[in-house]
Amino acid sequence: MAGGNAGGEVLVSIRNLTFSRGSRKIFDGVNLDIPRGKITAIMGPSGTGKTTLLKLIGGQLRPDSGTITVDGRIVHELSLGRLYELRKKIGMLFQTGALLTDLNVFENVAFPLREHTKLPESMIRTLVLMKLQAVGLRGARDLMPAQLSGGMARRVALARAITLDPMMIMYDEPFTGQDPISMGVLVKLIRDLNRELGLTSIVVSHDVEETASIADYIYLISEGKVVGQGTPDAIRHSESPWVLQFMEGLADGPVPFHYPAPDYAADLLNPPA
Amino acid sequence: MQSSKAIEIWVGLFVAVGLIALFFLAMQVSNLAELRSNDDSYRIVARFENIGSLRVRAPVSVAGVTVGRVSAISFDNQTYEAVVEMRIDPKYDTLPIDTSASILTAGLLGEQYIGLSPGGAEEHLADGDEIELTQSAIVLEQVISRFLFNKAEGGGASGGAATSSE
Amino acid sequence: MLAPFQQLGHATLGTMQKLGRANLFICHVLTGLPEILRRIRLLLAQVYSVGVLTILLVSVSGLFVGMVLGLQGYNVLSDFGAEQTLGVMVAASLVRELGPVVTALLFAGRAGSALTAEIGLMKATEQLSGMEMMAVDPLKRIIAPRFFAGCLSMPLLASLFSMIGVMGGYFVGVGLLGVDEGAFWSQMRSRIDFYDDIVNGLIKSAVFGVIVTWIAVFEGYDAVPTSEGVSRATTRSVVYSAFAVLGWDFVLTALMFGGD
């Protein structure tokens, strides 16, 4: 059993997870533990189903077999009502931000409050401005999502994800496609929020440097299996050639440079009839 | 996105315009206004040998003015006559008791309706009364066949008279 | 050898699955009604974008359709000396058929395609998914208001179309071609029945409203979440709506007017 050994209480625990899309197996016997109050990173090449894993944890997809336990409850056995109760305690930051395009920044951040609470308008205003201040975008409250840069949109989405004061936030590729400055801002935000709000964070990413700089514990996933795990330092000094190739970004290694093909010379010399 | 007040006003206008259109269709285009006044109308009956293609809801008119509608058509098993029941608008309650009813056609190919021609009696028709003097519908085939028959018989000279000798 | 049968079977199964999904989908959406009634503003905003923004298109089309009916009807009827029945012809065609059908087709093109594209894009940009993760049911919060707004707007738009069409016919017939004004209205009023014509036309437009909006929101929700998928879904939404409206029009007409 590959249990997380980062210490402390476990918030999310995944056991023997298998999941397939059509005939393609995305997860095949994955075991993961996400400790409470820490930042856990899940890394791996594109297309290994990291986003799918977050959707499984959030209960948007159901596993073929295995169990996913969040805060002591088995996610895929909850009724829809209970699942929604659980989701109110989980924030998720989508790759694109997933802001509602017909609402401005303020209303986007206020959205969960308006949907789930009956707070008076003045209270909503205060809460929203506090969350926007935390991500440094209090001044952008009247902009529409289309007017925001990618990094700003993600920060607004982050403010929205924390409006209901969740116990956990899942970040889906937070650093992809960001310039160095936005990247730095996001790294700082994720780290600060986790510390100050006592959150548990799951970061899914393939940006090695940034992720390694904030994560307490890293899982490496490839081809449906956990291929490596440990603290960032332990991972960096791993013996495994696959882990080394991924962390160092080498072009060739256990993941071959060439897509499987017949012999090169034979292929050139024998054109199809 | 417009302010919610503007949206409410627009939606209010939209619903109002839609309902006005519906009201217009009901009152101005259809017969709803007439249907409603039928409630206190009075009923008279007439018997015809042949009603042609007269249908329920066909107009009943006096001097070209619609005063009521055909409300029911039935067949009398004893006399083999058609019994036509009409509802007349209570505004027109002074039709003499010897009024005659005939089934006429609007235009050459138009729908059939009942034309009433008032007589000279002092008494007025009341609810449930029957019109004694009736004239049946002209059935085109019968008229033509009679015309051809007379023409063949009389050798052409009496042809014109034959149609009007009904 | 067996390939054509396999294709046919594949297509049949795919269609059945889609119909099944569409039915489950609409059942779920209908359960959102109580919430819509509690938060009527959500509905109003959608009535605005689905109904109010279609008024101009429907009015202008109605006017021209009515005017053309007046012109063509006059040409045919005057051969029989029956110009007086022009009002009947214009009103009957509008109220029974053209009002509901043309409005539904315009509605599918203007509002239906916009709904499909909007919902498809919300799906492609993970807005629907994001809402689910915020514990908000997108079927109730996003789809239901749009669906009910469409169902509510269609009969109103069809009534508007018919009214403006009658005005257009009146303008051409009485105003330009000199049909007697009294005969135009009185013949119309004596031959158009409130229950047979107006109410049946209203029922038709309500049915079309449900069909077109259902197709539009479902195609958006069921779209492949890419820009190509959304554009295909938008095309499908309009095409299926047109087929469904014309097909159901035949069925409804047979039921309503076929008897006698």
Side-chain angles (χ1 to χ4, degrees):
Chain A
M1 279 296 232
N5 53 4
E9 199 189 341
V10 172
L11 183 63
V12 179
S13 131
I14 297 174
R15 289 286 170 270
N16 294 321
L17 171 71
T18 57
F19 181 79
S20 42
R21 273 231 164 92
S23 57
R24 202 165 83 86
K25 263 212 160 123
I26 294 179
F27 296 115
D28 186 8
V30 168
N31 290 296
L32 281 178
D33 280 310
I34 311 287
R36 203 184 278 272
K38 297 279 166 52
I39 300 176
T40 307
I42 297 170
M43 305 185 71
S46 309
T48 45
K50 300 186 297 291
T51 306
T52 309
L53 185 65
L54 294 186
K55 289 194 168 175
L56 283 161
I57 296 175
Q60 285 185 302
L61 297 172
R62 298 175 65 87
D64 296 343
S65 68
T67 53
I68 299 171
T69 319
V70 177
D71 200 23
R73 275 160 293 192
I74 297 176
V75 174
H76 46 99
E77 287 175 4
L78 293 175
S79 67
L80 199 62
R82 292 276 178 83
L83 183 61
Y84 274 20
E85 281 308 308
L86 178 64
R87 281 184 188 163
K88 286 182 196 171
K89 296 193 225 160
I90 301 177
M92 176 146 174
L93 188 71
F94 283 84
Q95 205 166 341
T96 50
L99 295 177
L100 301 172
T101 39
D102 57 345
L103 299 178
N104 65 18
V105 166
F106 182 93
E107 286 301 321
N108 258 293
V109 178
F111 183 81
L113 292 171
R114 293 199 199 283
E115 291 294 319
H116 293 307
T117 68
K118 291 197 165 55
L119 294 175
E121 192 56 39
S122 60
M123 183 88 91
I124 288 182
R125 192 183 124 87
T126 312
L127 283 170
V128 170
L129 292 185
M130 278 167 63
K131 305 296 176 190
L132 281 174
Q133 175 73 12
V135 297
L137 289 177
R138 189 162 48 85
R141 71 185 98 155
D142 293 325
L143 296 181
M144 296 305 284
Q147 298 167 288
L148 301 175
S149 71
M152 283 163 84
R154 269 177 226 192
R155 281 152 75 186
V156 174
L158 187 53
R160 186 177 67 176
I162 58 174
T163 32
L164 289 178
D165 292 322
M167 58 180 182
M168 174 168 93
I169 297 192
M170 302 193 283
Y171 301 89
D172 185 5
E173 301 283 6
F175 311 119
T176 307
Q178 298 298 307
D179 61 69
I181 299 176
S182 321
M183 195 114 81
V185 170
L186 283 165
V187 166
K188 173 178 158 17
L189 272 174
I190 293 174
R191 192 191 297 135
D192 291 357
L193 283 175
N194 201 71
R195 197 174 53 227
E196 283 159 22
L197 303 177
L199 292 167
T200 304
S201 304
I202 305 177
V203 181
V204 151
S205 177
H206 49 230
D207 292 284
V208 173
E209 276 314 309
E210 290 72 24
T211 312
S213 72
I214 52 169
D216 294 308
Y217 201 80
I218 296 176
Y219 285 94
L220 282 173
I221 296 185
S222 177
E223 295 181 356
K225 295 192 191 301
V226 175
V227 294
Q229 56 176 303
T231 59
D233 280 338
I235 287 273
R236 256 190 250 279
H237 301 105
S238 166
E239 300 289 310
S240 156
W242 192 94
V243 174
L244 273 178
Q245 188 194 357
F246 183 80
M247 297 303 282
E248 303 296 329
L250 303 175
D252 210 351
V255 179
F257 171 73
H258 291 289
Y259 193 82
D263 182 64
Y264 187 41
D267 212 6
L268 286 179
L269 292 172
N270 299 312
Chain B
M1 184 164 157
Q2 305 209 18
S3 77
S4 67
K5 194 176 167 193
I7 285 180
E8 279 167 19
I9 292 171
W10 272 109
V11 170
L13 282 175
F14 170 53
V15 174
V17 167
L19 291 178
I20 287 170
L22 190 60
F23 184 75
F24 170 85
L25 291 175
M27 303 311 286
Q28 187 72 16
V29 174
S30 86
N31 57 356
L32 183 65
E34 292 171 28
L35 287 181
R36 284 193 318 160
S37 65
N38 267 3
D39 296 340
D40 46 358
S41 59
Y42 68 98
R43 196 172 60 93
I44 53 177
V45 176
R47 290 164 175 273
F48 296 91
E49 263 176 43
N50 189 336
I51 57 164
S53 62
L54 187 75
R55 290 205 283 168
V56 174
R57 297 208 324 98
V60 176
S61 68
V62 180
V65 178
T66 302
V67 297
R69 299 218 164 252
V70 172
S71 57
I73 296 174
S74 56
F75 180 68
D76 186 330
N77 273 324
Q78 259 74 52
T79 60
Y80 308 117
E81 283 173 326
V83 181
V84 175
E85 186 188 285
M86 295 163 259
R87 291 203 160 267
I88 308 294
D89 195 311
K91 273 189 289 185
Y92 311 106
D93 57 354
T94 56
L95 293 170
I97 199 141
D98 59 348
T99 296
S100 69
S102 33
I103 296 179
L104 306 168
T105 307
L108 189 57
L109 301 168
E111 204 170 319
Q112 291 190 299
Y113 66 97
I114 293 186
L116 300 181
S117 339
E122 295 291 315
E123 270 185 275
H124 300 313
L125 281 170
D127 190 52
D129 282 354
E130 185 172 333
I131 295 181
E132 304 290 343
L133 293 165
T134 63
Q135 189 184 21
S136 287
I138 296 169
V139 177
L140 211 57
E141 294 93 315
Q142 288 178 0
V143 175
I144 293 171
S145 65
R146 200 172 305 153
F147 170 75
L148 292 175
F149 185 66
N150 287 353
K151 197 152 177 155
E153 218 173 37
S158 61
T163 45
S164 56
S165 70
E166 160 65 7
Chain C
M1 179 68 181
L2 289 174
F5 292 103
Q6 196 209 333
Q7 274 175 9
L8 181 65
H10 184 80
T12 311
L13 288 177
T15 312
M16 294 313 257
Q17 278 176 359
K18 189 163 184 176
L19 282 175
R21 282 203 304 280
N23 279 300
L24 289 176
F25 168 83
I26 205 69
C27 290
H28 193 146
V29 169
L30 290 177
T31 61
L33 184 59
E35 204 175 324
I36 300 298
L37 295 178
R38 255 202 322 279
R39 299 174 65 186
I40 203 80
R41 268 161 201 277
L42 291 179
L43 183 67
L44 290 186
Q46 294 308 320
V47 172
Y48 178 80
S49 67
V50 168
V52 174
L53 296 181
T54 318
I55 289 181
L56 187 66
L57 175 69
V58 161
S59 310
V60 173
S61 312
L63 183 68
F64 281 110
V65 167
M67 283 163 59
V68 167
L69 277 177
L71 214 55
Q72 295 282 21
Y74 182 83
N75 283 341
V76 174
L77 292 174
S78 62
D79 288 349
F80 300 102
E83 304 94 284
Q84 267 88 5
T85 55
L86 181 67
V88 182
M89 200 209 89
V90 169
S93 358
L94 280 168
V95 170
R96 288 182 180 180
E97 288 297 333
L98 295 175
V101 172
V102 176
T103 310
L105 295 178
L106 294 172
F107 185 75
R110 169 67 182 76
S113 63
L115 280 177
T116 308
E118 186 190 15
I119 294 170
L121 277 175
M122 289 182 92
K123 187 181 182 189
T125 54
E126 294 180 309
Q127 292 182 48
L128 298 183
S129 196
M131 229 175 244
E132 271 180 26
M133 285 307 296
M134 285 188 278
V136 176
D137 188 343
L139 287 180
K140 291 183 181 169
R141 176 64 175 70
I142 296 294
I143 311 284
R146 287 166 172 75
F147 177 73
F148 289 112
C151 297
L152 191 73
S153 301
M154 244 308 284
L156 294 173
L157 289 170
S159 301
L160 186 66
F161 184 96
S162 297
M163 177 183 82
I164 293 183
V166 169
M167 303 284 205
Y170 169 82
F171 174 69
V172 168
V174 176
L176 298 182
L177 299 171
V179 173
D180 179 61
E181 178 169 358
F184 184 90
W185 290 116
S186 69
Q187 289 269 356
M188 190 191 292
R189 227 173 300 172
S190 72
R191 299 281 289 277
I192 304 289
D193 186 64
F194 178 70
Y195 297 103
D196 284 352
D197 296 318
I198 309 267
V199 172
N200 276 346
L202 206 61
I203 292 173
K204 267 190 183 179
S205 62
V207 172
F208 294 162
V210 173
I211 293 174
V212 170
T213 328
W214 182 0
I215 291 178
V217 292
F218 178 69
E219 283 295 343
Y221 189 75
D222 206 45
V224 178
T226 59
S227 40
E228 198 204 0
V230 173
S231 81
R232 277 162 175 267
T234 310
T235 312
R236 269 205 309 273
S237 157
V238 177
V239 173
Y240 290 175
S241 295
F243 277 139
V245 164
L246 296 171
W248 275 95
D249 183 47
F250 175 75
V251 174
L252 291 174
T253 307
L255 288 178
M256 290 168 175
F257 304 103
D260 62 337

